[in-house]
Amino acid sequence: MIVYVESNFILEIAHLREEHENCDRSLNLSVTGEIQLVLPAFSVGEVYEAQTRRAKRRAELHGKLNAELGELARSRPYRDSRDEFMKITKVLVVSGEEEGQRLDTVKRVLAAADIIPIERDTIASAFKLRLIRRLRTQDAIVLASVLEHLAAAGPKLKCFITRNSKDFANPDIVADLGQSDCELFTSFGEGYGFVIGHSV
């Protein structure tokens, strides 16, 4: 079975989000060769871009909070609360560092997954999909990559699992995937259930 995933699969594991256990289980099935996990190359870049954006946002928030809490601590009623205020801002810094370290998940995924390269035709197809399916450029590149791989995949069981229901769960895209007998799931739990239900 071929299981297509994208950047939110990696982020789910790295940030220990609510469905990370199902992602870990799917990753383990790929390691043991029970499924073929496939990831668009573009999604790897998306993971690091998302982490950079997140770290920058937290750093800015940390700076603003420190300034405001420092000012507040100068006021007599809140002077004794300064240490508690600092603990709050420290969580922002520490959590950002820990999430950055957990991005080693990327290495685990890259070791277990097949990567769909971005070719010239992939970009050309993505530009068309962006218009006819009304997708953001990033999502159009992911979809173009998956459809390109599907075209050469042969008669295997296939599914595409993404948490991005807002952009991918529309009838036209479901039909695009369905032309290659590929199921769409917008929950890693549902996707993992499908995989287990059809594994030998």
Side-chain angles (χ1 to χ4, degrees), residues 107-155:
K107 295 175 186 174
R108 287 176 56 211
V109 174
L110 291 179
D114 291 336
I115 306 301
I116 308 171
I118 302 175
E119 306 286 355
R120 182 182 302 173
D121 289 346
T122 314
I123 300 299
S125 177
F127 286 153
K128 290 178 186 175
L129 287 167
R130 185 170 60 99
L131 296 174
I132 65 173
R133 297 293 178 252
R134 296 181 181 179
L135 292 169
R136 296 177 305 145
T137 301
Q138 300 95 311
D139 295 322
I141 294 172
V142 168
L143 182 59
S145 298
V146 170
L147 293 175
E148 186 178 274
H149 193 276
L150 279 169

Side-chain angles (χ1 to χ4, degrees), residues 3-188:
V3 179
Y4 296 93
V5 294
E6 51 140 343
S7 56
N8 49 40
F9 177 85
I10 299 173
L11 292 170
E12 198 80 16
I13 299 172
H15 295 158
L16 301 176
R17 292 176 179 167
E18 60 190 46
E19 292 199 74
H20 76 274
E21 290 178 350
N22 291 313
C23 296
D24 265 321
R25 292 182 186 119
S26 297
L27 185 56
N28 290 335
L29 290 176
S30 183
V31 170
T32 58
E34 294 172 71
I35 64 170
Q36 179 186 356
L37 193 68
V38 179
L39 176 78
F42 183 78
S43 296
V44 178
E46 274 194 308
V47 167
Y48 286 104
E49 193 274 333
Q51 183 61 29
T52 300
R53 195 171 60 240
R54 193 178 171 99
K56 182 180 178 184
R57 189 172 66 241
R58 286 190 178 178
E60 289 173 353
L61 180 57
H62 178 255
K64 289 177 182 176
L65 266 177
N66 262 347
E68 288 296 327
L69 294 175
E71 189 64 32
L72 193 58
R74 292 175 62 190
S75 177
R76 181 176 294 170
Y78 302 106
R79 198 168 293 156
D80 294 337
S81 302
R82 181 177 176 82
D83 289 343
E84 291 177 30
F85 293 159
M86 293 305 111
K87 285 178 187 176
I88 294 170
T89 61
K90 187 178 179 182
V91 168
L92 286 171
V93 176
V94 171
S95 63
E97 290 171 354
E98 288 176 350
E99 285 181 356
Q101 290 167 1
R102 285 198 299 268
L103 272 184
D104 277 352
T105 301
V106 174
K107 295 175 186 174
R108 287 176 56 211
V109 174
L110 291 179
D114 291 336
I115 306 301
I116 308 171
I118 302 175
E119 306 286 355
R120 182 182 302 173
D121 289 346
T122 314
I123 300 299
S125 177
F127 286 153
K128 290 178 186 175
L129 287 167
R130 185 170 60 99
L131 296 174
I132 65 173
R133 297 293 178 252
R134 296 181 181 179
L135 292 169
R136 296 177 305 145
T137 301
Q138 300 95 311
D139 295 322
I141 294 172
V142 168
L143 182 59
S145 298
V146 170
L147 293 175
E148 186 178 274
H149 193 276
L150 279 169
K156 298 179 180 179
L157 274 173
K158 301 170 282 280
C159 66
F160 176 33
I161 312 173
T162 175
R163 290 292 302 270
N164 187 358
S165 59
K166 178 175 173 284
D167 292 301
F168 289 115
N170 80 57
D172 290 329
I173 291 176
V174 170
D176 290 339
L177 295 167
Q179 287 180 7
S180 296
D181 298 318
C182 180
E183 299 268 352
L184 175 71
F185 295 98
T186 55
S187 155
F188 290 114

